[in-house]
Amino acid sequence: MAISKAIPISSVAALPPTFSSAPRLCPPTPNSNFYYSVIPPINLSTKRNVALMCASIDGVESFGSMSLKSLEENDSIPMPIVLIDQDSDPEATIVQVSFGDRLGALLDTMKALKDLGLDVMKGTVTTENSVKQTKFFITRLASGRKVEDPDLLEGIRLTILNNLLKYHPESSERLALGEVFGITSPEEKVPVNIATHIQLKADGPRRSLLCIETADRPGLLLEMMKIMNDINVNVESAEIETEGLVAKDSFHVSYGGAALNSSLSQVLVNCLRYYLRTPETEDDSY
């Protein structure tokens, strides 16, 4: 059984415009309203042993004088996971973040999403097997509709990953962005030609399901969307997941209002496989 705690969105407006990056406790205010409910848990990570900690705004504060170095020595670094779901809710884009039990209230992440022109309608936190999963329901501030722009979806993904690196620098060892922006580069690299797997199958008469697993890198979503757009394949919805160094994305696609036929399916798979396995290839060379 998992316990869900709604995040009062009004508390974001009460915060100062900038926040200190230093870990600090954020006690609830007397006017804060929290709601508890029982919901089915979403298992995004295996059970991991982690040190006992207190949540701060986006980071954590350990008890006593435990340093980051001693934490890493005594504990394995959990898998950072960012999931962007376009299918589950017809009105909002769902963003889910987990990093063991090290995430705080993520108020700085919520502010960063608002700076992208997004409205965080509500948020929930569930805990299962010591893994805390924070879920945001977001829409575009100007229209009140879910996010469909690929550039903005990639912006959301990179914003959350950058905040993970900022408030949890130890996550750099398990993120592709850690190679450039982290304090420690990932010890293990994922070879693109080995990590790339593409599956495409019919999902009813009107659309097909495209599943892609490949080594993560900045701009990956835009690259894949460009390839599909260049051969006139329409992306109806997407589920975008970053699991450590690996991207696991699913797209519902169609062509002319119908599922892709075998010929177009093969063209799409070949284009994606060629591009993803040769990221240095120049545009339009496939």
Side-chain angles (χ1 to χ4, degrees), residues 34-234:
F34 295 96
Y35 302 91
Y36 295 87
S37 61
V38 178
I39 66 171
I42 301 175
N43 186 16
L44 286 184
S45 178
T46 57
K47 182 177 181 181
R48 299 180 184 274
N49 295 321
V50 291
L52 185 61
M53 298 183 177
C54 296
S56 66
I57 289 182
D58 262 33
V60 293
E61 182 174 62
S62 59
F63 286 106
S65 58
M66 181 180 291
S67 65
L68 177 61
K69 181 178 180 181
S70 62
L71 173 64
E72 293 178 350
E73 290 174 351
N74 290 301
D75 241 79
S76 60
I77 297 175
M79 177 70 72
I81 297 176
V82 177
L83 174 65
I84 301 176
D85 180 4
Q86 291 284 75
D87 285 334
S88 299
D89 192 299
E91 305 296 332
T93 297
I94 300 175
V95 178
Q96 187 162 301
V97 188
S98 65
F99 187 49
D101 72 345
R102 304 188 182 190
L103 295 182
L106 295 183
L107 297 183
D108 288 281
T109 296
M110 292 167 64
K111 180 182 182 300
L113 293 174
K114 285 179 175 289
D115 289 342
L116 293 176
L118 301 170
D119 180 29
V120 183
M121 299 170 56
K122 64 178 179 179
T124 62
V125 178
T126 62
T127 302
E128 182 190 7
N129 295 333
S130 299
V131 177
K132 182 184 292 185
Q133 299 156 4
T134 303
K135 184 185 294 185
F136 301 119
F137 293 75
I138 61 177
T139 59
R140 302 198 70 159
L141 194 59
S143 63
R145 305 184 63 179
K146 67 194 306 180
V147 181
E148 297 178 349
D149 179 18
D151 292 89
L152 187 52
L153 288 171
E154 179 70 350
I156 293 170
R157 188 179 77 94
L158 294 179
T159 295
I160 294 173
L161 291 175
N162 282 328
N163 266 31
L164 269 175
L165 290 171
K166 178 180 180 180
Y167 294 100
H168 296 275
E170 72 276 17
S171 67
S172 64
E173 293 187 16
R174 307 206 66 174
L175 289 171
L177 288 180
E179 183 74 29
V180 180
F181 303 106
I183 59 172
T184 305
S185 298
E187 294 183 359
E188 297 183 5
K189 306 296 190 298
V190 181
V192 176
N193 60 335
I194 296 177
T196 299
H197 304 283
I198 303 172
Q199 293 183 336
L200 181 60
K201 60 182 180 181
D203 189 26
R206 296 184 178 275
R207 64 183 188 178
S208 300
L209 178 61
L210 172 65
C211 299
I212 302 173
E213 181 175 330
T214 190
D216 185 37
R217 60 180 182 266
L220 177 64
L221 177 62
L222 297 180
E223 295 174 2
M224 296 187 293
M225 297 288 283
K226 179 181 183 301
I227 291 171
M228 288 183 268
N229 182 69
D230 285 349
I231 57 177
N232 297 317
V233 170
N234 179 48

